[in-house]
C-alpha cells in the first residue's frame, strides 16, 4: 500500500464529489434554527462542522461554492494552490502550506459565495488539509456547476475554468 492509500485507510476517508477524499471529523450537536439564519438557508444548520480533506497530484478539487465562509488549515504534504473567484468575477490564488519563506500560509479563509478550486502543487504528492465551516456544512448549500455555465458567468477565466472543472 502506498503512503496515500495508508492515509485514506487510517483516516477512513471517502471520495468527495468535488474530487479528492474526505471525512467529517466534527459536527456540533447544537443547531442554528432556520429563522436565525439568513434567508438563503433552506433549513436548520449545525453550529459548525470540520473535515479532513486529502487531494492528490492526479486529481483536483473542481470549482464549487458554498454559502458559508470556509477555513482551510494545512496539515501535511505538498502545498496546495487554492483558486478563488468572487461573485463579481475577481480572481486570486493562494498557496496553503507551511513554508512561510516561500509565501505559503498555513490557514486561509474562502469567503462564502465565492467559487473555489484547489490543486496539489508538487508532482506525485498529496496535500492533507482541514476545512471548517460555520454554520455547519450541508450538501444543500453546495453548488457544483457544469463547465459551460461557469464560463458563461466568467468568460475572462475560461482557460482556468476548463482546467479545474470535471465536465
Ligand atoms: N463536508 C462534506 N463536504 C464538505 C466540503 O466540501 N466542505 C466542508 N467544509 N465540509 C464538507
Amino acid at each position: 500500500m502506498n503512503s496515500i492509500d495508508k492515509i485514506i485507510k487510517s483516516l477512513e476517508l471517502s471520495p468527495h464529489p468535488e474530487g479528492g477524499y474526505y471525512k467529517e471529523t466534527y459536527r456540533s450537536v447544537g443547531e442554528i434554527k432556520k429563522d436565525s439564519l439568513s434567508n438563503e438557508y433552506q433549513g436548520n444548520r449545525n453550529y459548525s462542522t470540520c473535515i479532513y480533506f486529502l487531494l492528490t497530484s492526479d486529481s483536483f478539487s473542481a470549482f464549487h461554492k458554498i454559502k458559508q465562509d470556509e477555513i482551510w488549515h494545512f496539515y501535511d504534504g505538498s502545498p496546495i494552490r487554492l483558486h478563488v473567484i468572487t461573485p463579481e468575477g475577481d480572481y486570486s490564488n493562494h498557496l496553503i502550506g507551511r513554508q512561510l519563506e516561500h509565501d505559503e500560509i498555513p490557514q486561509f479563509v474562502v469567503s462564502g459565495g465565492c467559487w473555489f478550486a484547489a490543486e496539489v502543487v508538487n508532482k506525485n504528492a498529496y496535500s492533507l488539509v482541514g476545512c471548517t465551516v460555520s454554520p455547519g456544512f450541508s450538501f444543500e448549500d453546495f453548488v457544483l456547476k457544469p463547465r459551460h455555465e461557469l464560463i458563461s458567468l466568467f468568460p475572462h477565466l475560461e482557460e482556468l475554468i476548463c482546467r479545474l472543472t470535471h465536465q
Side-chain angles (χ1 to χ4, degrees), residues 16-19 22-27 49-53 61 64-66 68-72 116 130-139 142:
H16 195 282
E18 89 206 27
Y22 80 113
K23 177 168 186 201
E24 190 169 275
T25 51
Y26 172 69
R27 178 168 288 270
T49 56
C50 189
I51 56 169
Y52 286 130
F53 184 53
S61 166
H64 62 286
K65 68 172 182 177
I66 55 175
Q68 49 283 75
D69 297 343
E70 182 165 76
I71 309 160
W72 286 58
F116 58 103
C131 300
T132 303
V133 296
S134 176
F137 183 88
S138 163
F139 276 105
F142 178 89

Side-chain angles (χ1 to χ4, degrees), residues 22-140:
Y22 80 113
K23 177 168 186 201
E24 190 169 275
T25 51
Y26 172 69
R27 178 168 288 270
S28 66
V29 173
E31 277 190 345
I32 311 168
K33 299 295 171 211
K34 179 181 180 323
D35 290 351
S36 301
L37 290 164
S38 64
N39 56 14
E40 54 183 346
Y41 291 91
Q42 304 307 317
N44 301 348
R45 294 289 179 267
N46 299 88
Y47 295 145
S48 176
T49 56
C50 189
I51 56 169
Y52 286 130
F53 184 53
L54 177 100
L55 207 53
T56 58
S57 309
D58 56 8
S59 67
F60 58 84
S61 166
F63 273 108
H64 62 286
K65 68 172 182 177
I66 55 175
K67 296 182 166 67
Q68 49 283 75
D69 297 343
E70 182 165 76
I71 309 160
W72 286 58
H73 313 261
F74 184 80
Y75 296 142
D76 202 10
S78 161
I80 207 164
R81 190 174 294 279
L82 199 48
H83 301 266
V84 181
I85 310 173
T86 68
E88 296 75 33
D90 293 327
Y91 167 74
S92 60
N93 72 74
H94 311 269
L95 267 184
I96 317 299
R98 269 206 297 257
Q99 296 166 276
L100 309 185
E101 67 281 14
H102 292 158
D103 290 335
E104 297 168 13
I105 42 173
Q107 205 181 79
F108 183 76
V109 182
V110 178
S111 296
C114 287
W115 294 92
F116 58 103
E119 57 188 343
V120 173
V121 170
N122 298 343
K123 291 198 167 56
N124 299 316
Y126 67 87
S127 304
L128 179 66
V129 298
C131 300
T132 303
V133 296
S134 176
F137 183 88
S138 163
F139 276 105
E140 280 182 39

